Amino acid sequence: MKLIIGEIVIAAPIEAVFDFVADERNEPLYNPNMVQVEKLTPGPIGLRTRYAAVMKGRRRTRVTIECTGFSRPRSLKSHSRTAGMDIAGELTFAPQGNQCRLRWVWRLEPHGPLRLLGPLVRAVGNRREQANWLALKKYLELRQPAGKA
């Protein structure tokens, strides 16, 4: 198992950050590697909500994502599966004044050939996660009205 851990402070209210992140259909707005997301389950977003996503790369990678924990606005848990990897993750959201501290912990379980590339998978994963959450921060902070964050 490979762990990817990090955190970032976003100048936006905790509820706004949680709600935006909880809807996986928003991820292509800040993650350039995710090209498409479709919500598979009916009803509001919450526990057991499922998505199908497509990631770009040398070959398009299909990902299924299921919300396995939902405690608004404090934490989200998910399980993502691709042909080469399972990812269990938790996002925690904490108020920091008028801002939100977002922390992520991903547990990567590579399968098949990816198992042999463990250190590389972790290094690439860390770099991508940092870039994705920094892009989320920029995206959400640009959407905040002046003086609201």
Side-chain angles (χ1 to χ4, degrees):
M1 175 180 28
K2 308 297 177 212
L3 281 176
I4 296 177
I5 300 170
E7 65 179 42
I8 194 165
V9 175
I10 300 172
I14 186 175
E15 293 85 1
V17 176
F18 181 94
D19 291 343
F20 190 82
V21 172
D23 188 343
E24 284 287 339
R25 295 171 294 185
N26 290 325
E27 191 165 341
L29 295 172
Y30 61 90
N31 180 349
N33 293 307
M34 188 173 280
V35 295
Q36 180 183 352
V37 180
E38 176 187 358
K39 186 171 174 268
L40 300 174
T41 51
I45 295 166
L47 189 62
R48 308 262 186 268
T49 300
R50 292 182 53 240
Y51 300 90
V54 178
M55 305 295 289
K56 72 178 177 181
R58 283 186 227 168
R59 294 178 289 156
R60 298 285 169 125
T61 302
R62 299 197 177 282
V63 184
T64 58
I65 305 163
E66 181 174 353
C67 179
T68 58
F70 187 92
S71 181
R72 184 182 188 271
R74 299 294 181 160
S75 73
L76 286 170
K77 293 181 181 180
S78 65
H79 183 263
S80 300
R81 175 170 282 152
T82 70
M85 188 175 326
D86 284 330
I87 304 166
E90 181 173 10
L91 300 172
T92 55
F93 305 79
Q96 186 168 315
N98 293 332
Q99 302 180 94
C100 175
R101 178 174 298 280
L102 171 61
R103 185 170 193 272
W104 59 90
V105 177
W106 303 118
R107 290 168 179 81
L108 286 61
E109 290 284 348
H111 304 294
L114 282 181
R115 286 177 55 159
L116 302 174
L117 302 174
L120 180 62
V121 167
R122 185 169 186 264
V124 170
N126 268 326
R127 192 170 43 251
R128 284 189 179 169
E129 284 303 303
Q130 288 288 343
N132 289 342
W133 298 118
L134 181 58
L136 171 73
K137 172 184 172 71
K138 290 178 182 177
Y139 183 87
L140 290 178
E141 289 179 353
L142 285 173
R143 295 181 56 203
Q144 292 300 306
K148 292 288 183 181

